[in-house]
Amino acid sequence: MRFQTDAIGLTALILVLVAYVLFGSVFLFRKRPPQTEDNKRAPAATFGIVLQGVGFALLWTAPRQRWWPFPPSRAGEVALAVAAVILAYASCWLSIRAVQTLGKQWAYAARVIKGHELITQGPYGTVRNPIYLGMFGLVLSMCLVFSRWWSGLAAVVFFLIGNHIRIRAEERLLRETFGDQFEEYARGVPAFIPRPWR
């Protein structure tokens, strides 16, 4: 199906796509830290990664017919475009900052390495899983500028199920490793959705 857009919608889509490229480039071209010995792994998290990937793929399956699917409104178009772009770049920044904060401990696989530390500063002082929150923001930004409502909803559902699986598997590993230290951290910092009022 042809995706109909105008200058505002096209600009928003391009800018959101640039945020996706920036996000992906951090993971693809990041300088690899020295090899470290794994103490423990959580293989179940791999299924969560697959479901999150399905969520991202679903965003592209059904573009909506018109980028602005409501009655004509230049102000509405601009507001939607600005919201999507801000969300995309804020999400990208959050994920990149979280990867930088983890340093050599970051990996695709859920694992605990020799000398592993519990990271609680930076973005990890706001939520325990800021990379996943950033990824979710990128999903929502693409929903705003490109996807039909049902493909966007399906993308969100798949992503969140995968997200839940990954968080459970990874945090089980951290609980086994850090015990009371992690429990205290988990009591004060939410897993995924920030609590600005706390």
Side-chain angles (χ1 to χ4, degrees):
M1 179 174 290
R2 190 177 173 190
F3 176 65
Q4 297 178 11
T5 188
D6 57 17
I8 296 172
L10 183 60
T11 301
L13 179 58
I14 290 170
L15 289 174
V16 168
L17 286 172
V18 170
Y20 268 70
V21 171
L22 288 173
F23 172 81
S25 66
V26 168
F27 295 94
L28 291 174
F29 303 113
R30 177 174 173 265
K31 184 180 176 182
R32 298 193 181 280
Q35 287 286 349
T36 51
E37 183 184 336
D38 289 357
N39 282 356
K40 294 179 183 177
R41 280 182 175 260
T46 305
F47 184 55
I49 295 174
V50 171
L51 290 178
Q52 286 177 323
V54 170
F56 274 102
L58 283 168
L59 293 169
W60 302 95
T61 57
R64 55 182 176 258
Q65 193 170 3
R66 288 183 295 277
W67 115 264
W68 176 255
F70 307 109
S73 169
R74 183 68 57 169
E77 281 193 67
V78 170
L80 181 63
V82 168
V85 171
I86 289 174
L87 178 59
Y89 283 90
S91 300
C92 185
W93 176 86
L94 178 64
S95 293
I96 291 170
R97 187 74 190 93
V99 169
Q100 291 171 339
T101 302
L102 282 179
K104 67 178 183 180
Q105 295 184 175
W106 180 82
Y108 291 109
R111 64 177 189 161
V112 172
I113 62 173
K114 189 174 181 179
H116 203 107
E117 297 176 9
L118 181 63
I119 305 297
T120 60
Q121 70 270 22
Y124 291 88
T126 304
V127 289
R128 302 197 302 271
N129 297 277
I131 297 173
Y132 302 157
L133 178 60
M135 290 167 65
F136 184 54
L138 286 169
V139 168
L140 293 179
S141 67
M142 190 56 71
C143 288
L144 291 176
V145 297
F146 187 75
S147 305
R148 284 178 173 262
W149 72 266
W150 53 266
S151 61
L153 179 61
V156 167
V157 168
F158 271 89
F159 180 88
L160 289 178
I161 292 171
N163 198 57
H164 178 71
I165 291 169
R166 289 187 80 176
I167 289 174
R168 282 192 64 180
E170 292 172 7
E171 294 200 341
R172 188 180 305 119
L173 204 57
L174 293 174
R175 281 188 169 88
E176 291 171 0
T177 304
F178 296 105
D180 290 343
Q181 184 185 359
F182 182 81
E183 294 296 347
E184 183 180 351
Y185 170 54
R187 280 194 294 272
V189 178
F192 183 61
I193 303 298
R195 293 198 303 257
W197 57 87
R198 67 183 174 88

